[in-house]
Amino acid sequence: MEPVYERIPSKHEVSTSYQPVSQYSPNPDADPVTPASPPRQHSRGRVFRHWLWQILSLLWLAPIGTLLYLNFRHFVIGASVWCPGGDCNAESTTDGAIQRAQQLDRNDHDANGALQFAAKFLEVWFMFVATGLLYDIGLLFARQGRGLPLGYLLTHLEFTDVRYIFNPLLWTSPWPHRHSVPEKRVRIMKLYIFAMLTALLTILANLMGPATAVLVLPTLQWIDTPHVLAHTFNGTSVMYAPQTDDVFYNCTAAQLSARNYSCTLEMYGPGLDVQAAQGIASTKQAYSSDGSILWGVSQEEALQFSYNGTQGVLTWIANRQVLREMSHEFLKTTGFFSTSEPPEYPDRRYNNSLQTILQHQGPSLGVQSNCYSGNLTDFELTDDRWVRCYTGWTFDGYAYYTKCLRLGQGFNDTNYYAQFSLSVVDPEVPEYETGVGVYFADKAAYYNETEDFGSGIRACVETSKDCDWDLVFESAQLPPELKNTSVNVGIVSYQVPGTSDDSNRVWCDHVTYQSFPTYSVDTRPHSNPQNLVTLNDLPGNATIPQVVNPDWFLAAWSVDNDGILDGDRQIVKELIRVLPAAYETNSTDKDSLLDYWTFLLIHTYALGQSMSLVPYSYSPPPSPMNAKEAEKDKNVHPVLHRWATMHVWAFGLSGRTSKLGVAVVILGSLCVLARFFIGLRIGTSGLSTVEVLAAAFEHRHQGEFDGLEAGTHLGKVRYRVAEGAEGRQRFIPERRIGRWSHVSRT
């Protein structure tokens, strides 16, 4: 049955609009009658274009999926962005490294420029898909129910402008105008969802360019190779005297057992002398207005190290056993000799980076050391128990205390001591000989004229009466600044030469701690020409003081117990020369200050040398089945790792912008999938924009705008798109209250 249109004149003028006439329908939501038409026949060209459009939309996911995979996997390209076949040797350890780097930099500029064009292409491609998505959804609305609001007719063309989000038509069009037949709220909510989808696509369309650029363009990153389980730390030998010749290549086990450590002179004596000479030279520089005291360096095989004094009062010293392990790998990495590489560190990966840093976890000993001048008082209680008290101890330069230590194995098995002498024969000066004592005390106590912190030690020392010395050293209630240096304390006591008082001493105490920093060495000769190893990830505070055997200090000086240091060594001459100045700490003239600094450096270098020599024992790393048990014991017996950090071009999600880019492209991918499935639903019955435009031109005004104000009210008028009798599309306006009546004519 075909509707018959009759002309209805307006009361003011004759209207040219045509209204379908039928019997009044009690259901105002019923659709106008759509004329029946034979099934639409689609040409092969239309089918081909439909599936081509579907495939092109879906193919956008291929490059985006690849980019997401590369970034989530942190895919490493190499030393250059343009690295075909994954091989772009930077030659970072050769003399031509700078020229090679310049060539790679030019390639990087060209490649990054091309990738920016690729990012723009992906953005335009997404616009292509997003436009189709909004067009198809709008078409679905136009074919169902009461149709699509006029305000959404051009949404697919306007949404790319970010100002469209603030267009009132976007948010008011879903709500019917006042002359419209009431509409179900479900339908209104669907239109608002369409509006929110449009706003989302507006945001995505404007962010897709930067988002794809962030993912497409690789960045220079520091990438870690897989961490290899090297071994499980068992413990150091710091509490025992040197016992094996594995530490000192020129020493026999018999010499070490006899405490004859002069055998270390050939290997480590010159190094200590060089460090001291560097320190003396640095003190001269430090006295200038812009100078500073710099740590000297010491060598172990192919590597060098310096002390790390960046963590407050603690000075951390590298372990030479760790350095020997790193040295072997360093030589293989830099190609100084040819061997088969470990499977986890192939040379190709190193060469394919701009810079490679070898990293090893290992033990390190740190010392908190201070030196003072004062007098010695010695109380021998028994053959294996005695108390030594030194005056002049201070932690702030204002409050001074006498520090007493209980010594001898009668108090504790760990309380060892050692001693040696310094002797210099010079024709121009009298012969100097001074004794050096090295002690370890498990407990220390403090007192001054007004305070002994409840230990009672002041009365015991001043009256020399019999005391319960165990109770004295256990009962003291020390403040934190004193307590930290009262347990497991090492003392090095220097007799001052050339003074009439035999009790005059320059003495230094130290407390030793242990940590497990990361040892790092840059393998590139242009940035690290001295092969210097640095310590990283050091603790800010250490809590467990270590037991230290005094013989390690003798091994550092290369002197036998009860022996005499070689007076021809320059470091010995300098030490004896500066001891009087170190004792007279109140002097402020330039030469005395320089001598005092020289003494501090010589002592610190010797102390650091002793800590660097201490070996450690280890066992194989735990199996994966025992990994949890090893994790529980990590503070005492940690599993030590080794790896390399390479400076390479790589994809990744290290920054916030890259994470935002991932979120944008994932939302964009969901929109692409939605476009594909909606396209499947519409099939080949979709309309081209030309067909819609022709239907709009063919439509005659039927009074749907009468009584509506301009602006947003016009955008609320709905039209449904349907196929007419001749196969062409036509616009069917929504009903208005009181204006539609249906009459049928057969």
Side-chain angles (χ1 to χ4, degrees):
M1 182 167 51
E2 184 176 354
V4 177
Y5 290 82
E6 66 176 7
R7 198 166 183 177
I8 303 177
S10 172
K11 66 179 181 178
H12 297 294
E13 58 182 351
V14 178
S15 173
T16 58
S17 63
Y18 290 82
Q19 313 290 341
V21 180
S22 67
Q23 296 294 329
Y24 172 72
S25 174
N27 181 9
D29 287 332
D31 295 331
V33 177
T34 302
S37 60
R40 190 177 182 185
Q41 300 297 323
H42 303 296
S43 65
R44 291 184 178 180
R46 189 181 188 92
V47 174
F48 173 77
R49 287 191 299 270
H50 166 73
W51 283 108
L52 178 62
W53 169 238
Q54 287 287 92
I55 294 172
L56 286 178
S57 298
L58 197 62
L59 280 178
W60 187 82
L61 297 176
I64 292 300
T66 302
L67 290 176
L68 289 175
Y69 173 81
L70 294 176
N71 281 275
F72 276 111
R73 290 295 302 270
H74 296 278
F75 181 79
V76 176
I77 302 174
S80 174
V81 180
W82 177 247
C83 197
D87 185 13
C88 43
N89 193 339
E91 302 174 4
S92 57
T93 60
T94 66
D95 294 335
I98 295 179
Q99 291 77 12
R100 178 60 173 165
Q102 291 173 342
Q103 178 185 351
L104 293 177
D105 185 63
R106 289 190 293 270
N107 295 340
D108 295 339
H109 280 288
D110 293 337
N112 280 326
L115 290 176
Q116 290 183 29
F117 281 103
K120 186 62 179 178
F121 176 74
L122 290 174
E123 177 191 6
V124 173
W125 194 350
F126 177 77
M127 297 285 193
F128 181 71
V129 177
T131 300
L133 174 62
L134 288 179
Y135 181 80
D136 288 347
I137 295 177
L139 184 60
L140 288 177
F141 275 108
R143 284 179 166 177
Q144 298 175 359
R146 295 169 58 184
L148 181 73
L150 186 61
Y152 291 159
L153 186 61
L154 300 178
T155 296
H156 65 287
L157 300 177
E158 298 179 309
F159 80 99
T160 55
D161 188 347
V162 72
R163 294 175 298 177
Y164 189 68
I165 297 178
F166 306 101
N167 189 339
L169 284 175
L170 180 64
W171 306 108
T172 60
S173 296
W175 200 259
H177 58 80
R178 62 178 178 271
H179 298 301
S180 177
V181 175
E183 192 168 12
K184 295 180 180 179
R185 290 188 178 272
V186 174
R187 175 76 174 178
I188 297 174
M189 290 303 301
K190 288 181 179 179
L191 289 172
Y192 271 116
I193 292 174
F194 177 73
M196 288 186 285
L197 174 63
T198 302
L200 174 63
L201 285 174
T202 300
I203 296 173
L204 292 180
N206 285 275
L207 292 180
M208 191 57 68
T212 53
V214 167
L215 298 181
V216 166
L217 295 173
T219 56
L220 272 174
Q221 302 179 35
W222 289 101
I223 301 294
D224 287 348
T225 61
H227 288 213
V228 178
L229 300 179
H231 38 245
T232 300
F233 174 82
N234 292 335
T236 67
S237 301
V238 68
M239 67 180 298
Y240 308 106
Q243 296 175 343
T244 66
D245 54 1
D246 293 337
V247 181
F248 308 111
Y249 302 127
N250 297 329
C251 298
T252 65
Q255 288 175 311
L256 297 177
S257 298
R259 304 176 74 184
N260 295 332
Y261 304 112
S262 56
C263 57
T264 67
L265 178 63
E266 182 178 349
M267 178 68 71
Y268 294 112
L272 182 61
D273 293 350
V274 169
Q275 275 189 305
Q278 291 174 333
I280 295 171
S282 186
T283 58
K284 309 295 185 182
Q285 294 285 343
Y287 205 83
S288 63
S289 58
D290 297 322
S292 178
I293 295 179
L294 302 178
W295 290 112
V297 296
S298 182
Q299 182 176 351
E300 184 64 32
E301 295 191 350
L303 303 176
Q304 296 191 98
F305 69 97
S306 184
Y307 302 159
N308 188 318
T310 61
Q311 301 296 317
V313 297
L314 291 176
T315 300
W316 293 96
I317 298 96
N319 185 282
R320 292 181 182 271
Q321 182 176 341
V322 179
L323 296 177
R324 288 191 288 271
E325 296 171 0
M326 291 189 72
S327 177
H328 180 69
E329 184 178 352
F330 176 84
L331 292 176
K332 290 189 296 183
T333 303
T334 53
F336 283 106
F337 63 86
S338 177
T339 61
S340 58
E341 294 79 12
E344 60 269 26
Y345 286 149
D347 264 354
R348 185 172 178 271
R349 297 184 69 178
Y350 289 157
N351 293 334
N352 201 20
S353 67
L354 294 172
Q355 191 173 0
T356 300
I357 297 178
L358 302 181
Q359 314 254 34
H360 278 225
Q361 289 178 329
S364 172
L365 295 176
V367 293
Q368 177 183 347
S369 177
N370 291 285
C371 295
Y372 318 92
S373 62
N375 296 94
L376 166 67
T377 304
D378 205 346
F379 302 92
E380 185 173 352
L381 308 178
T382 63
D383 290 341
D384 58 356
R385 288 161 54 99
W386 71 94
V387 174
R388 286 198 139 199
C389 296
Y390 294 90
T391 62
W393 191 92
T394 180
F395 68 91
D396 57 7
Y398 297 100
Y400 285 85
Y401 297 88
T402 296
K403 183 170 188 173
C404 296
L405 305 102
R406 65 181 197 181
L407 303 174
Q409 293 180 278
F411 281 114
N412 193 303
D413 290 339
T414 62
N415 291 357
Y416 288 96
Y417 74 95
Q419 58 188 15
F420 62 94
S421 298
L422 307 173
S423 179
V424 174
V425 178
D426 192 324
E428 299 182 0
V429 297
E431 180 178 344
Y432 281 158
E433 182 172 330
T434 182
V436 180
V438 189
Y439 308 90
F440 179 81
D442 65 325
K443 296 287 185 180
Y446 299 85
Y447 75 91
N448 59 18
E449 296 178 354
T450 60
E451 182 66 74
D452 64 3
F453 306 102
S455 65
I457 191 171
R458 183 177 56 176
C460 293
V461 171
E462 292 179 351
T463 61
S464 300
K465 64 178 182 179
D466 293 334
C467 294
D468 186 348
W469 290 100
D470 291 309
L471 180 62
V472 164
F473 284 95
E474 295 289 348
S475 61
Q477 302 296 320
L478 299 175
E481 60 270 14
L482 302 181
K483 189 174 183 179
N484 291 339
T485 57
S486 65
V487 178
N488 290 350
V489 183
I491 297 289
V492 180
S493 177
Y494 299 90
Q495 188 176 9
V496 181
T499 61
S500 57
D501 190 346
D502 189 53
S503 67
N504 292 344
R505 292 291 188 275
V506 175
W507 61 284
C508 305
D509 63 353
H510 61 268
V511 180
T512 304
Y513 299 93
Q514 180 177 275
S515 70
F516 298 91
T518 300
Y519 291 67
S520 304
V521 57
D522 184 357
T523 60
R524 190 169 63 172
H526 300 284
S527 55
N528 186 21
Q530 291 187 321
N531 301 346
L532 189 66
V533 176
T534 59
L535 301 182
N536 305 299
D537 304 324
L538 289 165
N541 295 307
T543 57
I544 304 176
Q546 303 291 301
V547 175
V548 180
N549 192 291
D551 281 18
W552 290 106
F553 195 77
L554 272 63
W557 274 104
S558 303
V559 62
D560 302 336
N561 186 45
D562 286 326
I564 301 176
L565 268 176
D566 183 3
D568 291 333
R569 292 175 62 180
Q570 186 63 32
I571 187 174
V572 178
K573 296 178 180 179
E574 286 294 323
L575 181 57
I576 290 183
R577 183 185 67 80
V578 300
L579 272 173
Y583 182 76
E584 300 293 338
T585 55
N586 294 327
S587 178
T588 58
D589 65 276
K590 173 183 176 181
D591 292 338
S592 297
L593 286 175
L594 291 177
D595 288 346
Y596 178 67
W597 292 348
T598 299
F599 166 76
L600 291 178
L601 286 174
I602 292 175
H603 171 76
T604 303
Y605 285 137
L607 184 61
Q609 177 92 309
S610 67
M611 297 296 102
S612 72
L613 296 172
V614 177
Y616 69 96
S617 60
Y618 56 86
S619 57
S623 63
M625 297 180 59
N626 299 326
K628 291 185 177 179
E629 293 297 325
E631 184 69 17
K632 296 178 182 179
D633 202 26
K634 65 179 181 180
N635 293 328
V636 180
H637 301 292
V639 178
L640 305 178
H641 299 77
R642 59 186 174 92
W643 67 96
T645 302
M646 301 184 298
H647 201 204
V648 291
W649 288 95
F651 295 96
L653 304 176
S654 56
R656 296 179 181 177
T657 54
S658 57
K659 293 181 176 63
L660 176 61
V662 167
V664 170
V665 298
I666 288 178
L667 290 175
S669 300
L670 295 177
C671 293
V672 171
L673 290 174
R675 163 64 190 86
F676 178 77
F677 289 113
I678 291 175
L680 290 179
R681 178 181 176 182
I682 294 176
T684 56
S685 62
L687 302 178
S688 67
T689 55
V690 173
E691 291 176 298
V692 174
L693 187 61
F697 278 123
E698 190 177 12
H699 174 69
R700 293 184 179 183
H701 175 243
Q702 300 174 9
E704 57 266 30
F705 300 114
D706 291 349
L708 297 180
E709 300 175 3
T712 59
H713 293 281
L714 299 179
K716 297 181 179 182
V717 177
R718 288 161 170 70
Y719 286 92
R720 183 178 177 188
V721 178
E723 190 170 319
E726 298 179 1
R728 294 198 306 269
Q729 304 298 315
R730 64 188 185 89
F731 278 24
I732 303 175
E734 66 174 341
R735 292 182 191 83
R736 290 166 58 100
I737 298 175
R739 292 192 56 86
W740 298 106
S741 61
H742 282 280
V743 286
S744 303
R745 201 185 296 180
T746 57

